[in-house]
Every structure is written in structure tokens, then in C-alpha cells.
Amino acid sequence: MATIQGRTGEWEYVIGLEVHAQVTSNAKLFSGAATEFGAEPNTQVSLVDAAMPGMLPVINRVCVEQAVKTGIGLNAQVNLYSVFDRKNYFYPDLPQGYQISQFSQPIIGKGAVEIDLPDGTVKTVGVTRLHLEQDAGKSLHDQHPRMTFVDLNRSGVALMEIVSEPDLRSPEEAAAYLTKLRAILRYLGTCDGNMEQGSLRCDANVSVRRPGDPFGTRCEIKNVNSIRYVRQAIEYEARRQIEILEDGGSIDQETRLFDPGRGETRAMRSKEEAHDYRYFPDPDLLPLELDKGWVAHVRATMPELPDEKKKRFVAEYGLPVYDAGVLVADRDTAAFYETVAEGRDGKLAANWVIGDYFALLNKSGATLATAPVDAAGLGGLLDLIADGTVSGRLAKEVFEAMWETGKPAAVIVDEKGLRQISDTGAIETAIDEVLAREQGKLAEYRSGKDKLFGFFVGQVMKATGGKANPKLVNELLKAKL
């Protein structure tokens, strides 16, 4: 448990997250208007989205199925009966004058998400609920000095609001939860998880308390759009609250905004309670009733999720839990690894993907899709290591050349003359030359200075340009010494 040291003692974080995930769907929640990102303003607006008189919402079946998939992926209860409500809050860019959401009877109930922490432990975070609701449009304040314009393209886009229990106890845990949640959504294909485009947004509820005390008054930090900012916002907000409490003040329950430039939160409005919204069932929408058999069918078509895949990687490829966790964090990375590892040493493949491959990927700014070395290319290099054509050290040189030129490993090896020397005669000759030259060190070794063995290995490798088979060098050197 992470604590914060204040002037008067230790404090504990209490954090819950509300995540708004845009449902992957070609059409909006209650209309057939398109949802494509980046379209010209007001080109994806139906009469329903514009709230023209007499227009009635019609539920999008795909959005419902995506919500059910997500609920199953969160190990949550799928409610066969749920209700859409009107949330009476004025959004200037939502023409209805209210938001259609779910309140007392959401489509998904309680669930749980396991998160991997840096110390290797696994923590279970409770999910309170998931409900479907429509998004608002976008107000454009920078188009005219005296007027505000409205883009309704997002108006009516389907959102899943996923609410966690206040189980998180540090900014790192909050980041791990958000990362895991995004991975699950991407595996399921129910949200693209793109925080830069607003497909995934997070409200963080933060309070502090003395360890073991009841929960304190929380503040909600709205619409944080990166995992790094979520951590920064939580850290700042907790310290702000501690300073107030240690000065004898009290925390006002309010909604705050995070300013990434200044690294601080600032008050936005006082926090509304549920009764402020005057929820009531939307009279234009019947209660949503799901067939148990249909839910079972959705469950049967679910893909393998990160936790299941991690367990399989450990069992099937013999990977440590940490390696497996890194590889399954992203669906494309997991698929890339499986292609590299197919028919090869799983641990060697993991070391190369997590180590050298990720290093060059990050350094170059490339992605798995644009990288000059694909999974088959990396697999070809591992084959050359396995059959003794190149040593592990030379393989790194070959790999860098592959990245620069895009050529296959075998071609690089031939062009650069990097084939490993496995000729015992040639290696013995190199050993004899080293021993003849290093008579002083040889005497020291034979008088009991065993640590010099590594020195002789290094000299032989140097004499062969790093091409000698290290295993044979060790064996032959031991015999001669």
C-alpha cells in the first residue's frame, strides 16, 4: 500500500475511476448516423441526434452486444433487464436538453478486474457497474471571437461508462487498472482505446484518509485523456487535499479539471448528487430485455482475453509470469510473439521480442505494422542462433543490420561474414596462440586464480573476431587449462 508522508503523519490514497469508453460501432446508440472520427463538422447528424420534434430513439443492437461482451470480459453480471433513463443535465451541445443514460438498472452489474503490480503481485479491483449512455457533441470556442459553434457529430455516439469500486490505493494502481481495462476493451474490439481521439476518457475520484480510517470527502477530476495525466492528476490532488486537512480545513466535494501544462487541478463546479439530475425512465424507450440464450451465444464467441492468454503463455511457452504479462498487454504484440515463437524456443523468442525488438521499435518510433523487421524475419534470425550459424552476440549485430536494410538474417550473415566458427581445429589454434602469449596470466590461473578463466575466454573471442562458438570455446579452453 502506497502512503503519502504529510507534515503530521501518513495518509492513504482512496481512488475510484469512471471510464467513458466509446463503443466501436458504425452507427450511434439511437440513430443510424455514422461515427467515423475526423469527419467534417455536422456531417454525421441524423434528425434524432439533432432532436428534431417528433423524432424517436431506436436502440442500436450492435452497441448492446458490445456492452454485453465487455461485461463478460470484466467478469461481471449481465443484467437481462435494464432501463434507459433521462439524466436532466444541460449540455449546450446535446440538443435534447437531457442525456439518455442508465441509472438504477444498468445493463451490466458488479464485476472484477485483475491488475499486475510492479512488485509482481496481482490485485483484484471491483467493478461497480457498466451502463450505456449517449455522448454529447462538441462546442467550438476558437472559431470566432464572439461566437461559439457546435459540432454535433459526436452527439448520440454510444459510450460505456465503466465505474470501479474505490479499491485503488496509489496512482500506480490507477494506471495499471486503466491499462488493463484498455487492453480488455481492445482484445474484445468493443472500444479502440484511443485516448488522444477521446475514445477513452477517465474521471478520477480521489480522496485521502489516515490508514484504516473511514473514507474522506472525494473530489472528481473530469475528462483526463492520458494514463500519464491520470497519475499526475491523482498525485497532485491527493497532496492538495492533505495540505488543506493538515491546515485544519475540510474538503469540498466538487468536480475539478486537470491542467497538464501547470500539472495541477482546479475547481470546475460543485459536485452534483444523483438527485440533482432528476433521473426518470425515458418514456420513448422500452426497458431493454435480453434473452438468456443470446447472452450465452455472445459468451461462447468471446476471444481469448489477456489473463487467459497470460496463463497459456506461461504453460505453453514456459515463460515467467512477468514476461507473459508484458507480451499479452497488447493484442497485436501477443500475436507477433506467437508468430516468432512458433516452432522455436519460447523463452528465447520472448527475450528478443521484449528486449532487442522493443528497444529498436521504441527508438525508431515505428509500430509492429511499420517496422522493417516482421515476425517472420525475427524468427529467421532465431533459427540461425538455434542451429549455431551465429552466436547470440553476433545476432545482435545481424539484427541491427536487418533493421537498417530490411534484408533477411541469412543474407546479412553471408554479406558481413558473420557466420559463427564451430571448427574445433580453428578454435584450438586461437586458444593455443592466446595461451602462448599470456604466459603470466596462465601461471596465475594454474596457481589457483580461477577467475582468470573469463579473461582467457574473452581473449579467444577477441582473436576470432567474436565469431567463435562460445560453448566450444569454453569446453576446449577448460581442457587445455
Side-chain angles (χ1 to χ4, degrees):
M1 178 183 71
T3 56
I4 315 169
Q5 186 62 48
R7 294 196 314 274
T8 60
E10 287 192 330
W11 297 83
E12 182 184 9
Y13 294 95
V14 178
I15 306 161
L17 299 185
E18 297 176 17
V19 175
H20 288 86
Q22 180 177 327
V23 177
T24 299
S25 165
N26 292 329
K28 297 181 180 179
L29 183 55
F30 299 117
S31 82
T35 58
E36 184 181 353
F37 178 78
E40 286 295 310
N42 296 313
T43 56
Q44 299 178 162
V45 186
S46 74
L47 295 175
V48 174
D49 307 323
M52 290 294 156
M55 295 298 105
L56 295 175
V58 177
I59 187 76
N60 181 337
R61 181 188 176 97
V62 171
C63 295
V64 173
E65 182 171 346
Q66 296 286 58
V68 170
K69 272 187 187 173
T70 304
I72 296 171
L74 300 176
N75 304 302
Q77 172 68 40
V78 177
N79 295 324
L80 299 181
Y81 182 91
S82 62
V83 174
F84 283 99
D85 301 279
R86 287 189 180 180
K87 180 182 181 183
N88 291 282
Y89 181 84
F90 177 71
Y91 294 93
D93 35 28
L94 191 60
Q96 294 161 175
Y98 56 85
Q99 181 186 33
I100 302 178
S101 181
Q102 294 186 307
F103 177 51
S104 60
Q105 298 180 85
I107 188 169
I108 302 295
K110 287 189 177 298
V113 173
E114 288 188 351
I115 58 172
D116 298 308
L117 300 177
D119 64 1
T121 59
V122 175
K123 175 171 180 170
T124 301
V125 179
V127 172
T128 310
R129 58 188 277 150
L130 177 158
H131 63 257
L132 279 168
E133 64 184 23
Q134 58 178 179
D135 202 358
K138 183 179 181 183
S139 296
L140 306 172
H141 303 291
D142 56 355
Q143 308 293 305
H144 190 279
R146 288 179 286 107
M147 291 190 284
T148 292
F149 297 117
V150 176
D151 176 9
L152 295 180
N153 279 355
R154 286 192 67 87
S155 175
V157 165
L159 300 178
M160 296 179 287
E161 181 169 337
I162 304 167
V163 182
S164 84
E165 296 287 324
D167 291 342
L168 301 162
R169 292 291 176 271
S170 71
E172 290 72 27
E173 289 187 9
Y177 170 79
L178 201 49
T179 301
K180 184 62 171 292
L181 189 59
R182 184 170 62 175
I184 292 171
L185 294 169
R186 284 178 165 169
Y187 267 73
L188 292 168
T190 56
C191 171
D192 64 22
N194 191 328
M195 299 188 82
E196 290 180 356
Q197 294 180 0
S199 302
L200 196 70
R201 311 190 298 264
C202 177
D203 300 342
N205 287 290
V206 181
S207 65
V208 295
R209 66 177 179 180
R210 297 291 189 187
D213 278 2
F215 290 161
T217 302
R218 63 187 166 87
C219 290
E220 181 186 49
I221 309 166
K222 291 291 286 183
N223 283 335
V224 189
N225 65 353
S226 89
I227 293 175
R228 180 164 61 95
Y229 290 162
V230 168
R231 293 175 60 150
Q232 290 177 359
I234 291 170
E235 286 175 0
Y236 176 86
E237 178 60 22
R239 292 199 174 276
R240 184 189 72 86
Q241 293 184 18
I242 289 170
E243 282 187 19
I244 292 172
L245 294 171
E246 291 191 332
D247 287 342
S250 60
I251 305 300
D252 295 327
Q253 184 168 326
E254 61 185 5
T255 300
R256 301 179 67 83
L257 288 175
F258 178 64
D259 182 339
R262 302 171 68 93
E264 62 185 30
T265 65
R266 62 172 183 269
M268 177 183 174
R269 62 174 186 251
S270 61
K271 175 65 180 172
E272 292 89 351
E273 300 291 348
H275 60 75
D276 294 324
Y277 295 123
R278 293 169 290 115
Y279 283 100
F280 63 87
D282 192 303
D284 292 335
L285 287 161
L286 290 170
L288 183 60
E289 295 188 56
L290 304 180
D291 179 77
K292 193 182 289 185
W294 179 78
V295 174
H297 169 73
V298 173
R299 187 184 296 275
T301 60
M302 295 280 286
E304 184 180 42
L305 293 176
D307 288 341
E308 299 164 359
K309 198 179 287 288
K310 183 171 72 174
K311 289 175 185 170
R312 183 169 64 78
F313 278 16
V314 170
E316 192 172 324
Y317 298 108
L319 299 184
V321 172
Y322 174 80
D323 287 5
V326 170
L327 292 168
V328 305
D330 176 79
R331 185 174 60 177
D332 292 339
T333 301
F336 180 89
Y337 166 75
E338 289 217 79
T339 303
V340 175
E342 186 175 359
R344 303 185 177 97
D345 183 301
K347 180 63 175 121
L348 180 66
N351 290 345
W352 272 88
V353 172
I354 295 172
D356 298 80
Y357 197 89
F358 275 9
L360 278 188
L361 205 63
N362 294 333
K363 185 178 177 183
S364 66
T367 65
L368 289 176
T370 62
V373 179
D374 60 13
L378 181 58
L381 176 60
L382 300 193
D383 290 340
L384 297 182
I385 299 172
D387 67 14
T389 301
V390 292
S391 64
R393 195 189 70 78
L394 288 177
K396 294 179 184 298
E397 186 177 338
V398 174
F399 179 59
E400 289 179 3
M402 292 170 67
W403 198 275
E404 290 173 2
T405 66
K407 294 179 180 177
V411 173
I412 300 286
V413 169
D414 288 338
E415 285 183 353
K416 289 182 169 285
L418 296 176
R419 196 170 290 275
Q420 184 170 247
I421 299 172
S422 296
D423 180 337
T424 54
I427 296 174
E428 282 188 307
T429 299
I431 291 174
D432 291 340
E433 289 173 357
V434 168
L435 296 182
R437 189 179 68 231
E438 303 290 348
Q439 285 296 310
K441 298 286 186 186
L442 180 60
E444 287 182 49
Y445 178 83
R446 287 179 171 161
S447 65
K449 203 168 180 180
D450 295 345
K451 290 183 179 177
L452 284 173
F453 184 78
F455 166 77
F456 289 115
V457 171
Q459 291 299 306
V460 174
M461 293 302 292
K462 185 178 178 183
T464 59
K467 299 176 187 174
N469 183 318
K471 185 180 176 187
L472 288 176
V473 170
N474 275 270
E475 291 175 0
L476 296 171
L477 192 56
K478 278 180 184 172
K480 285 186 178 288
L481 288 173

mmCIF file of all heavy atoms in Angstrom, residues 319-357:
data_model
loop_
_atom_site.group_PDB
_atom_site.id
_atom_site.type_symbol
_atom_site.label_atom_id
_atom_site.label_comp_id
_atom_site.label_asym_id
_atom_site.label_seq_id
_atom_site.Cartn_x
_atom_site.Cartn_y
_atom_site.Cartn_z
ATOM 1 N N LEU A 319 7.143 -19.411 -20.059
ATOM 2 C CA LEU A 319 7.588 -18.053 -19.753
ATOM 3 C C LEU A 319 7.377 -17.711 -18.284
ATOM 4 O O LEU A 319 6.413 -18.182 -17.660
ATOM 5 C CB LEU A 319 6.812 -17.042 -20.602
ATOM 6 C CG LEU A 319 6.932 -17.144 -22.112
ATOM 7 C CD1 LEU A 319 6.164 -15.998 -22.771
ATOM 8 C CD2 LEU A 319 8.394 -17.106 -22.534
ATOM 9 N N PRO A 320 8.245 -16.857 -17.728
ATOM 10 C CA PRO A 320 7.945 -16.290 -16.401
ATOM 11 C C PRO A 320 6.677 -15.446 -16.501
ATOM 12 O O PRO A 320 6.356 -14.911 -17.578
ATOM 13 C CB PRO A 320 9.176 -15.409 -16.121
ATOM 14 C CG PRO A 320 10.232 -15.859 -17.066
ATOM 15 C CD PRO A 320 9.530 -16.397 -18.275
ATOM 16 N N VAL A 321 5.982 -15.296 -15.380
ATOM 17 C CA VAL A 321 4.722 -14.536 -15.379
ATOM 18 C C VAL A 321 4.949 -13.109 -15.865
ATOM 19 O O VAL A 321 4.133 -12.555 -16.609
ATOM 20 C CB VAL A 321 4.115 -14.536 -13.952
ATOM 21 C CG1 VAL A 321 2.908 -13.598 -13.886
ATOM 22 C CG2 VAL A 321 3.698 -15.948 -13.563
ATOM 23 N N TYR A 322 6.086 -12.518 -15.459
ATOM 24 C CA TYR A 322 6.344 -11.129 -15.866
ATOM 25 C C TYR A 322 6.420 -11.014 -17.393
ATOM 26 O O TYR A 322 5.785 -10.143 -17.993
ATOM 27 C CB TYR A 322 7.651 -10.621 -15.245
ATOM 28 C CG TYR A 322 8.034 -9.247 -15.753
ATOM 29 C CD1 TYR A 322 7.434 -8.101 -15.234
ATOM 30 C CD2 TYR A 322 8.957 -9.096 -16.797
ATOM 31 C CE1 TYR A 322 7.740 -6.837 -15.720
ATOM 32 C CE2 TYR A 322 9.267 -7.832 -17.294
ATOM 33 C CZ TYR A 322 8.666 -6.719 -16.752
ATOM 34 O OH TYR A 322 8.969 -5.480 -17.254
ATOM 35 N N ASP A 323 7.212 -11.899 -18.011
ATOM 36 C CA ASP A 323 7.348 -11.853 -19.475
ATOM 37 C C ASP A 323 5.988 -12.028 -20.144
ATOM 38 O O ASP A 323 5.645 -11.302 -21.091
ATOM 39 C CB ASP A 323 8.283 -12.977 -19.959
ATOM 40 C CG ASP A 323 9.731 -12.687 -19.634
ATOM 41 O OD1 ASP A 323 9.986 -11.681 -18.952
ATOM 42 O OD2 ASP A 323 10.611 -13.469 -20.052
ATOM 43 N N ALA A 324 5.227 -13.005 -19.657
ATOM 44 C CA ALA A 324 3.916 -13.264 -20.252
ATOM 45 C C ALA A 324 3.014 -12.043 -20.122
ATOM 46 O O ALA A 324 2.294 -11.675 -21.059
ATOM 47 C CB ALA A 324 3.272 -14.476 -19.591
ATOM 48 N N GLY A 325 3.083 -11.368 -18.957
ATOM 49 C CA GLY A 325 2.261 -10.186 -18.732
ATOM 50 C C GLY A 325 2.610 -9.060 -19.698
ATOM 51 O O GLY A 325 1.731 -8.363 -20.197
ATOM 52 N N VAL A 326 3.904 -8.872 -19.947
ATOM 53 C CA VAL A 326 4.332 -7.818 -20.881
ATOM 54 C C VAL A 326 3.819 -8.129 -22.290
ATOM 55 O O VAL A 326 3.314 -7.255 -22.997
ATOM 56 C CB VAL A 326 5.874 -7.706 -20.890
ATOM 57 C CG1 VAL A 326 6.341 -6.789 -22.017
ATOM 58 C CG2 VAL A 326 6.370 -7.201 -19.550
ATOM 59 N N LEU A 327 3.918 -9.377 -22.694
ATOM 60 C CA LEU A 327 3.564 -9.745 -24.067
ATOM 61 C C LEU A 327 2.067 -9.692 -24.330
ATOM 62 O O LEU A 327 1.643 -9.389 -25.449
ATOM 63 C CB LEU A 327 4.097 -11.153 -24.373
ATOM 64 C CG LEU A 327 5.625 -11.249 -24.451
ATOM 65 C CD1 LEU A 327 6.071 -12.706 -24.471
ATOM 66 C CD2 LEU A 327 6.158 -10.516 -25.677
ATOM 67 N N VAL A 328 1.252 -9.988 -23.327
ATOM 68 C CA VAL A 328 -0.201 -10.007 -23.568
ATOM 69 C C VAL A 328 -0.852 -8.654 -23.320
ATOM 70 O O VAL A 328 -2.054 -8.510 -23.532
ATOM 71 C CB VAL A 328 -0.910 -11.076 -22.702
ATOM 72 C CG1 VAL A 328 -0.286 -12.437 -22.914
ATOM 73 C CG2 VAL A 328 -0.918 -10.686 -21.229
ATOM 74 N N ALA A 329 -0.080 -7.656 -22.872
ATOM 75 C CA ALA A 329 -0.678 -6.350 -22.574
ATOM 76 C C ALA A 329 -1.316 -5.736 -23.812
ATOM 77 O O ALA A 329 -2.231 -4.932 -23.708
ATOM 78 C CB ALA A 329 0.378 -5.415 -21.999
ATOM 79 N N ASP A 330 -0.817 -6.121 -24.971
ATOM 80 C CA ASP A 330 -1.382 -5.617 -26.220
ATOM 81 C C ASP A 330 -1.654 -6.809 -27.141
ATOM 82 O O ASP A 330 -0.796 -7.679 -27.307
ATOM 83 C CB ASP A 330 -0.387 -4.648 -26.871
ATOM 84 C CG ASP A 330 -0.878 -4.153 -28.218
ATOM 85 O OD1 ASP A 330 -1.721 -3.252 -28.227
ATOM 86 O OD2 ASP A 330 -0.404 -4.669 -29.246
ATOM 87 N N ARG A 331 -2.831 -6.830 -27.744
ATOM 88 C CA ARG A 331 -3.230 -7.986 -28.557
ATOM 89 C C ARG A 331 -2.300 -8.191 -29.750
ATOM 90 O O ARG A 331 -1.919 -9.324 -30.060
ATOM 91 C CB ARG A 331 -4.672 -7.788 -29.045
ATOM 92 C CG ARG A 331 -5.218 -8.996 -29.797
ATOM 93 C CD ARG A 331 -6.670 -8.830 -30.143
ATOM 94 N NE ARG A 331 -6.900 -7.654 -30.986
ATOM 95 C CZ ARG A 331 -8.080 -7.302 -31.479
ATOM 96 N NH1 ARG A 331 -9.143 -8.006 -31.160
ATOM 97 N NH2 ARG A 331 -8.224 -6.242 -32.236
ATOM 98 N N ASP A 332 -1.895 -7.103 -30.409
ATOM 99 C CA ASP A 332 -1.016 -7.234 -31.570
ATOM 100 C C ASP A 332 0.362 -7.752 -31.167
ATOM 101 O O ASP A 332 0.983 -8.534 -31.886
ATOM 102 C CB ASP A 332 -0.889 -5.882 -32.282
ATOM 103 C CG ASP A 332 -2.192 -5.457 -32.944
ATOM 104 O OD1 ASP A 332 -3.035 -6.334 -33.188
ATOM 105 O OD2 ASP A 332 -2.360 -4.249 -33.200
ATOM 106 N N THR A 333 0.849 -7.288 -30.013
ATOM 107 C CA THR A 333 2.151 -7.767 -29.531
ATOM 108 C C THR A 333 2.089 -9.260 -29.228
ATOM 109 O O THR A 333 3.018 -10.022 -29.551
ATOM 110 C CB THR A 333 2.571 -7.000 -28.267
ATOM 111 O OG1 THR A 333 2.654 -5.610 -28.574
ATOM 112 C CG2 THR A 333 3.914 -7.487 -27.748
ATOM 113 N N ALA A 334 1.004 -9.684 -28.611
ATOM 114 C CA ALA A 334 0.855 -11.106 -28.289
ATOM 115 C C ALA A 334 0.838 -11.949 -29.571
ATOM 116 O O ALA A 334 1.479 -13.012 -29.641
ATOM 117 C CB ALA A 334 -0.435 -11.327 -27.497
ATOM 118 N N ALA A 335 0.131 -11.471 -30.582
ATOM 119 C CA ALA A 335 0.080 -12.211 -31.849
ATOM 120 C C ALA A 335 1.449 -12.232 -32.522
ATOM 121 O O ALA A 335 1.866 -13.256 -33.085
ATOM 122 C CB ALA A 335 -0.958 -11.565 -32.779
ATOM 123 N N PHE A 336 2.164 -11.113 -32.455
ATOM 124 C CA PHE A 336 3.511 -11.032 -33.023
ATOM 125 C C PHE A 336 4.419 -12.058 -32.341
ATOM 126 O O PHE A 336 5.143 -12.811 -33.003
ATOM 127 C CB PHE A 336 4.045 -9.613 -32.810
ATOM 128 C CG PHE A 336 5.423 -9.376 -33.355
ATOM 129 C CD1 PHE A 336 5.607 -8.953 -34.670
ATOM 130 C CD2 PHE A 336 6.549 -9.563 -32.566
ATOM 131 C CE1 PHE A 336 6.883 -8.725 -35.169
ATOM 132 C CE2 PHE A 336 7.817 -9.350 -33.060
ATOM 133 C CZ PHE A 336 7.983 -8.928 -34.367
ATOM 134 N N TYR A 337 4.352 -12.087 -31.005
ATOM 135 C CA TYR A 337 5.199 -13.028 -30.259
ATOM 136 C C TYR A 337 4.889 -14.473 -30.650
ATOM 137 O O TYR A 337 5.801 -15.279 -30.861
ATOM 138 C CB TYR A 337 5.001 -12.838 -28.748
ATOM 139 C CG TYR A 337 5.571 -13.997 -27.972
ATOM 140 C CD1 TYR A 337 6.943 -14.137 -27.815
ATOM 141 C CD2 TYR A 337 4.739 -14.996 -27.450
ATOM 142 C CE1 TYR A 337 7.487 -15.221 -27.151
ATOM 143 C CE2 TYR A 337 5.265 -16.078 -26.780
ATOM 144 C CZ TYR A 337 6.643 -16.183 -26.635
ATOM 145 O OH TYR A 337 7.170 -17.279 -26.001
ATOM 146 N N GLU A 338 3.621 -14.793 -30.766
ATOM 147 C CA GLU A 338 3.263 -16.188 -31.069
ATOM 148 C C GLU A 338 3.780 -16.602 -32.448
ATOM 149 O O GLU A 338 4.168 -17.750 -32.649
ATOM 150 C CB GLU A 338 1.750 -16.367 -30.986
ATOM 151 C CG GLU A 338 1.233 -16.302 -29.560
ATOM 152 C CD GLU A 338 0.100 -17.268 -29.290
ATOM 153 O OE1 GLU A 338 0.349 -18.469 -29.094
ATOM 154 O OE2 GLU A 338 -1.044 -16.789 -29.288
ATOM 155 N N THR A 339 3.804 -15.673 -33.384
ATOM 156 C CA THR A 339 4.358 -15.983 -34.710
ATOM 157 C C THR A 339 5.863 -16.230 -34.601
ATOM 158 O O THR A 339 6.396 -17.177 -35.204
ATOM 159 C CB THR A 339 4.085 -14.832 -35.686
ATOM 160 O OG1 THR A 339 2.679 -14.591 -35.745
ATOM 161 C CG2 THR A 339 4.590 -15.160 -37.071
ATOM 162 N N VAL A 340 6.547 -15.379 -33.827
ATOM 163 C CA VAL A 340 8.000 -15.550 -33.657
ATOM 164 C C VAL A 340 8.303 -16.873 -32.946
ATOM 165 O O VAL A 340 9.231 -17.605 -33.308
ATOM 166 C CB VAL A 340 8.599 -14.370 -32.853
ATOM 167 C CG1 VAL A 340 10.082 -14.601 -32.579
ATOM 168 C CG2 VAL A 340 8.404 -13.057 -33.599
ATOM 169 N N ALA A 341 7.513 -17.201 -31.927
ATOM 170 C CA ALA A 341 7.811 -18.358 -31.079
ATOM 171 C C ALA A 341 7.386 -19.689 -31.694
ATOM 172 O O ALA A 341 7.829 -20.748 -31.230
ATOM 173 C CB ALA A 341 7.114 -18.191 -29.726
ATOM 174 N N GLU A 342 6.579 -19.656 -32.732
ATOM 175 C CA GLU A 342 6.043 -20.906 -33.286
ATOM 176 C C GLU A 342 7.177 -21.839 -33.763
ATOM 177 O O GLU A 342 7.971 -21.489 -34.644
ATOM 178 C CB GLU A 342 5.113 -20.612 -34.455
ATOM 179 C CG GLU A 342 4.415 -21.864 -34.969
ATOM 180 C CD GLU A 342 3.394 -21.533 -36.050
ATOM 181 O OE1 GLU A 342 3.238 -20.333 -36.371
ATOM 182 O OE2 GLU A 342 2.771 -22.472 -36.569
ATOM 183 N N GLY A 343 7.267 -23.007 -33.138
ATOM 184 C CA GLY A 343 8.290 -23.989 -33.502
ATOM 185 C C GLY A 343 9.681 -23.639 -33.002
ATOM 186 O O GLY A 343 10.669 -24.261 -33.409
ATOM 187 N N ARG A 344 9.780 -22.617 -32.130
ATOM 188 C CA ARG A 344 11.097 -22.184 -31.635
ATOM 189 C C ARG A 344 11.103 -22.146 -30.105
ATOM 190 O O ARG A 344 10.083 -22.393 -29.483
ATOM 191 C CB ARG A 344 11.430 -20.790 -32.200
ATOM 192 C CG ARG A 344 11.404 -20.729 -33.716
ATOM 193 C CD ARG A 344 11.849 -19.379 -34.242
ATOM 194 N NE ARG A 344 11.878 -19.404 -35.703
ATOM 195 C CZ ARG A 344 10.900 -18.958 -36.483
ATOM 196 N NH1 ARG A 344 9.827 -18.426 -35.947
ATOM 197 N NH2 ARG A 344 10.991 -19.046 -37.791
ATOM 198 N N ASP A 345 12.252 -21.824 -29.531
ATOM 199 C CA ASP A 345 12.372 -21.720 -28.077
ATOM 200 C C ASP A 345 11.557 -20.508 -27.596
ATOM 201 O O ASP A 345 11.882 -19.368 -27.946
ATOM 202 C CB ASP A 345 13.856 -21.559 -27.713
ATOM 203 C CG ASP A 345 14.076 -21.510 -26.212
ATOM 204 O OD1 ASP A 345 13.511 -20.614 -25.558
ATOM 205 O OD2 ASP A 345 14.798 -22.378 -25.686
ATOM 206 N N GLY A 346 10.532 -20.758 -26.782
ATOM 207 C CA GLY A 346 9.628 -19.692 -26.368
ATOM 208 C C GLY A 346 10.308 -18.620 -25.551
ATOM 209 O O GLY A 346 10.028 -17.427 -25.703
ATOM 210 N N LYS A 347 11.225 -19.025 -24.653
ATOM 211 C CA LYS A 347 11.892 -18.043 -23.793
ATOM 212 C C LYS A 347 12.857 -17.187 -24.618
ATOM 213 O O LYS A 347 12.956 -15.970 -24.411
ATOM 214 C CB LYS A 347 12.649 -18.762 -22.677
ATOM 215 C CG LYS A 347 13.378 -17.836 -21.714
ATOM 216 C CD LYS A 347 12.406 -16.930 -20.970
ATOM 217 C CE LYS A 347 13.155 -16.091 -19.915
ATOM 218 N NZ LYS A 347 13.025 -14.674 -20.118
ATOM 219 N N LEU A 348 13.577 -17.828 -25.554
ATOM 220 C CA LEU A 348 14.479 -17.068 -26.421
ATOM 221 C C LEU A 348 13.684 -16.052 -27.244
ATOM 222 O O LEU A 348 14.085 -14.886 -27.376
ATOM 223 C CB LEU A 348 15.237 -18.019 -27.353
ATOM 224 C CG LEU A 348 16.225 -17.358 -28.326
ATOM 225 C CD1 LEU A 348 17.373 -16.715 -27.570
ATOM 226 C CD2 LEU A 348 16.760 -18.386 -29.339
ATOM 227 N N ALA A 349 12.540 -16.487 -27.768
ATOM 228 C CA ALA A 349 11.695 -15.576 -28.555
ATOM 229 C C ALA A 349 11.208 -14.415 -27.690
ATOM 230 O O ALA A 349 11.213 -13.257 -28.125
ATOM 231 C CB ALA A 349 10.512 -16.344 -29.134
ATOM 232 N N ALA A 350 10.811 -14.706 -26.447
ATOM 233 C CA ALA A 350 10.335 -13.638 -25.552
ATOM 234 C C ALA A 350 11.454 -12.655 -25.253
ATOM 235 O O ALA A 350 11.242 -11.434 -25.249
ATOM 236 C CB ALA A 350 9.799 -14.247 -24.259
ATOM 237 N N ASN A 351 12.658 -13.174 -24.999
ATOM 238 C CA ASN A 351 13.785 -12.281 -24.705
ATOM 239 C C ASN A 351 14.041 -11.318 -25.861
ATOM 240 O O ASN A 351 14.306 -10.138 -25.655
ATOM 241 C CB ASN A 351 15.046 -13.106 -24.435
ATOM 242 C CG ASN A 351 14.966 -13.850 -23.115
ATOM 243 O OD1 ASN A 351 14.109 -13.556 -22.283
ATOM 244 N ND2 ASN A 351 15.830 -14.821 -22.932
ATOM 245 N N TRP A 352 13.986 -11.843 -27.083
ATOM 246 C CA TRP A 352 14.249 -10.989 -28.246
ATOM 247 C C TRP A 352 13.125 -9.988 -28.492
ATOM 248 O O TRP A 352 13.379 -8.833 -28.808
ATOM 249 C CB TRP A 352 14.476 -11.866 -29.491
ATOM 250 C CG TRP A 352 15.910 -12.258 -29.606
ATOM 251 C CD1 TRP A 352 16.519 -13.340 -29.060
ATOM 252 C CD2 TRP A 352 16.937 -11.532 -30.296
ATOM 253 N NE1 TRP A 352 17.856 -13.350 -29.363
ATOM 254 C CE2 TRP A 352 18.138 -12.254 -30.122
ATOM 255 C CE3 TRP A 352 16.967 -10.360 -31.039
ATOM 256 C CZ2 TRP A 352 19.347 -11.832 -30.667
ATOM 257 C CZ3 TRP A 352 18.170 -9.934 -31.589
ATOM 258 C CH2 TRP A 352 19.337 -10.663 -31.395
ATOM 259 N N VAL A 353 11.876 -10.425 -28.337
ATOM 260 C CA VAL A 353 10.758 -9.500 -28.578
ATOM 261 C C VAL A 353 10.747 -8.395 -27.529
ATOM 262 O O VAL A 353 10.668 -7.199 -27.852
ATOM 263 C CB VAL A 353 9.407 -10.264 -28.569
ATOM 264 C CG1 VAL A 353 8.239 -9.274 -28.628
ATOM 265 C CG2 VAL A 353 9.335 -11.221 -29.755
ATOM 266 N N ILE A 354 10.837 -8.777 -26.248
ATOM 267 C CA ILE A 354 10.769 -7.790 -25.168
ATOM 268 C C ILE A 354 12.033 -6.926 -25.135
ATOM 269 O O ILE A 354 11.963 -5.731 -24.843
ATOM 270 C CB ILE A 354 10.574 -8.496 -23.802
ATOM 271 C CG1 ILE A 354 9.219 -9.198 -23.768
ATOM 272 C CG2 ILE A 354 10.694 -7.505 -22.653
ATOM 273 C CD1 ILE A 354 9.017 -10.079 -22.557
ATOM 274 N N GLY A 355 13.172 -7.532 -25.442
ATOM 275 C CA GLY A 355 14.439 -6.816 -25.343
ATOM 276 C C GLY A 355 14.801 -6.046 -26.605
ATOM 277 O O GLY A 355 14.403 -4.898 -26.790
ATOM 278 N N ASP A 356 15.557 -6.710 -27.488
ATOM 279 C CA ASP A 356 16.112 -6.010 -28.655
ATOM 280 C C ASP A 356 15.038 -5.434 -29.579
ATOM 281 O O ASP A 356 15.167 -4.322 -30.098
ATOM 282 C CB ASP A 356 17.011 -6.972 -29.449
ATOM 283 C CG ASP A 356 18.180 -7.447 -28.621
ATOM 284 O OD1 ASP A 356 17.974 -8.364 -27.797
ATOM 285 O OD2 ASP A 356 19.281 -6.914 -28.782
ATOM 286 N N TYR A 357 13.969 -6.224 -29.802
ATOM 287 C CA TYR A 357 12.957 -5.763 -30.758
ATOM 288 C C TYR A 357 12.227 -4.525 -30.238
ATOM 289 O O TYR A 357 12.110 -3.522 -30.934
ATOM 290 C CB TYR A 357 11.961 -6.881 -31.060
ATOM 291 C CG TYR A 357 11.166 -6.617 -32.314
ATOM 292 C CD1 TYR A 357 11.637 -7.042 -33.554
ATOM 293 C CD2 TYR A 357 9.973 -5.925 -32.276
ATOM 294 C CE1 TYR A 357 10.928 -6.780 -34.723
ATOM 295 C CE2 TYR A 357 9.258 -5.657 -33.425
ATOM 296 C CZ TYR A 357 9.736 -6.090 -34.651
ATOM 297 O OH TYR A 357 9.038 -5.818 -35.799
#
